[in-house]
Amino acid sequence: MTEEGTLAYGTNIDVRSAAGPVGAATPTCQLRDVLDRVGDKWSVLVMALLGDGPRRYSELQRGIEGISQRMLTLTLRSLERDGLVVRTVTPSSPPRVDYSLTPVGRTLSTEVGSLIRWAEAHRDYVAQSRLRYDEQ
Amino acid sequence: MTEEGTLAYGTNIDVRSAAGPVGAATPTCQLRDVLDRVGDKWSVLVMALLGDGPRRYSELQRGIEGISQRMLTLTLRSLERDGLVVRTVTPSSPPRVDYSLTPVGRTLSTEVGSLIRWAEAHRDYVAQSRLRYDEQ
DNA sequence: CCGTATCCTTAACGATACTG
DNA sequence: CAGTATCGTTAAGGATACGG
């Protein structure tokens, strides 16, 4: 990955050709833009849940402990904006809203899934490391 | 992933067996703890750079545009605490400090690497999606 | 049921200055 | 070179209340 390149704040990601830092004032969708999607507090969990199939708004809220309505809505809107999630409204009464992954969303959900599996697999190791580090 | 489970704030991650939300007051190293490491602003970039091999402190700082000394140090300390990075001091003059991945760190660096490649591959798609969403 | 609006708090982060 | 210390900002997120 990035043989000798610079991981710039607003870099074009593939900076193999660049010698110095890539300009930080580049315009549209950069590495950080996309990474921030994974970086926020809830997107990863939402993507993981939706990876198992479509979910209603209320199912997501019950499925992700501690998320507020505000944050669930904001997270879903962001994911929708990025073309990773689609929102489907069934105008029944009461109205029913389902969220599901787009094809591209599914590919990210896969990545996110293996990240979660990594966390699961190395949880104890990390906990032990922290204990040892802290008691020094 | 997580067949029918709840992705709780402090969950034990594998909650396949649990019916309801897992207690939020669990003690040590939970899903969110590990995910937050990926969630902060710089860890992913540091891990990616170190995935190419050991780097000196100054190399990391030059390699990651926009990172402050403060944040580089904090990020490295956290990664060290989690047992993902090791710090090696060569007491020359001027002193030389190298950072490298632990074996477990390398496995996370791999995950992080494919995440970055995902971002690279779908950057344009995401940018387009945002444009379309915003102009509505 | 599925949100939006508002207010408020915290903590992540940046800037700057200083040190062995 | 490789940090630490301090201060200030701002943006993310939580709590709560209300609406279609």
Side-chain angles (χ1 to χ4, degrees):
Chain A
M1 190 193 343
T2 66
E3 212 56 57
E4 200 45 31
T6 298
L7 291 168
Y9 188 31
T11 186
N12 278 324
I13 297 175
D14 188 355
V15 284
R16 243 163 292 229
S17 54
V22 178
T26 32
T28 43
C29 187
Q30 308 304 340
L31 174 56
R32 172 146 307 285
D33 287 305
V34 185
L35 247 40
D36 280 349
R37 179 102 339 277
V38 174
D40 68 31
K41 193 169 181 179
W42 302 110
S43 290
V44 165
L45 298 181
V46 171
M47 293 295 290
L49 266 190
L50 292 181
D52 292 334
R55 292 283 185 276
R56 299 186 59 171
Y57 183 88
S58 51
E59 289 176 325
L60 289 171
Q61 182 155 27
R62 265 177 282 113
I64 302 175
E65 185 174 312
I67 195 170
S68 60
Q69 276 193 327
R70 170 183 148 81
M71 286 318 295
L72 179 54
T73 301
L74 285 180
T75 302
L76 287 168
R77 291 292 172 273
S78 294
L79 293 172
E80 203 189 349
R81 182 169 108 103
D82 289 356
L84 304 171
V85 157
V86 279
R87 177 173 180 272
T88 318
V89 184
T90 309
S92 54
S93 125
R96 174 195 177 95
V97 180
D98 286 279
Y99 292 92
S100 56
L101 296 176
T102 64
V104 172
R106 254 189 297 279
T107 66
L108 179 55
S109 173
T110 303
E111 301 294 336
V112 156
S114 64
L115 206 66
I116 289 186
R117 277 191 299 279
W118 185 95
E120 183 180 18
H122 299 92
R123 183 169 36 135
D124 292 344
Y125 172 85
V126 171
Q128 284 302 317
S129 299
R130 287 181 185 176
L131 279 177
R132 231 168 316 163
Y133 186 96
D134 290 344
E135 73 188 5
Q136 310 292 352
Chain B
M1 199 187 341
T2 66
E3 214 56 58
E4 201 46 27
T6 298
L7 290 169
Y9 188 30
T11 186
N12 279 323
I13 296 175
D14 188 356
V15 285
R16 242 162 294 230
S17 53
V22 179
T26 31
T28 40
C29 187
Q30 308 303 339
L31 174 57
R32 172 145 309 284
D33 286 307
V34 184
L35 246 41
D36 280 349
R37 180 103 336 279
V38 174
D40 69 31
K41 193 169 182 180
W42 302 110
S43 290
V44 166
L45 298 181
V46 170
M47 293 294 290
L49 265 191
L50 292 181
D52 291 334
R55 291 283 185 278
R56 300 185 59 171
Y57 182 89
S58 50
E59 289 176 326
L60 289 171
Q61 183 154 27
R62 265 177 283 113
I64 302 172
E65 184 174 312
I67 195 171
S68 62
Q69 275 193 326
R70 172 184 147 81
M71 286 317 295
L72 179 55
T73 301
L74 286 179
T75 302
L76 287 168
R77 291 291 172 275
S78 295
L79 294 172
E80 202 189 349
R81 182 170 107 102
D82 288 355
L84 304 171
V85 157
V86 280
R87 178 174 180 271
T88 318
V89 184
T90 310
S92 54
S93 124
R96 175 195 176 94
V97 180
D98 286 278
Y99 291 92
S100 55
L101 295 175
T102 64
V104 172
R106 254 189 296 280
T107 68
L108 179 55
S109 173
T110 302
E111 300 295 336
V112 155
S114 65
L115 206 66
I116 289 186
R117 276 191 299 279
W118 185 96
E120 183 179 18
H122 299 93
R123 186 169 32 137
D124 291 345
Y125 172 84
V126 171
Q128 284 302 316
S129 299
R130 288 181 184 175
L131 279 177
R132 232 170 315 166
Y133 187 96
D134 289 344
E135 73 187 7
Q136 310 292 349

